Every structure is written in C-alpha cells, then in structure tokens.
Amino acid sequence: MILPKDPVMLLSAINTYLRDYHSSLEELCQNAEVSAEEIKKQLAVLDYHYEPTQNQFV
C-alpha cells in the first residue's frame, strides 16, 4: 500500500482504510508494512490523534 505524503490526504486515506478494512491502527500498519508511530507523528501536525474506541483519527 502506498500512502499519500500530504498530511490531509493521509488523514483521509488512513481513516478510510480503518473504517472499511481494518479493525485497528496496528492491524492496518502491519498489513501495509508502515510504522504506526510515523503515521501518528504525521497526523499530529494537523492535531489529529488516533482514538482506538472509534478506530479513527479525530
């Protein structure tokens, strides 16, 4: 899976993947072979943080 570099596009893509295909951020990252910490860091720039109970960045 190739993820967008732009933080806004990344937010949209990650939340879509979480909603439609994965039950957790960890599962998504494992399947996509990407770092959860890197995604969290990139989206924190937009002041979005992963909420496990909602399984999305809010």
Side-chain angles (χ1 to χ4, degrees), residues 7-31:
V8 174
M9 297 300 293
L10 179 62
L11 173 65
S12 177
I14 291 295
N15 276 342
T16 298
Y17 286 124
L18 288 170
R19 181 189 68 229
D20 294 347
Y21 304 109
H22 301 284
S23 61
S24 70
L25 179 60
E26 292 73 26
E27 178 186 305
L28 182 151
C29 290
Q30 184 178 21
N31 288 342

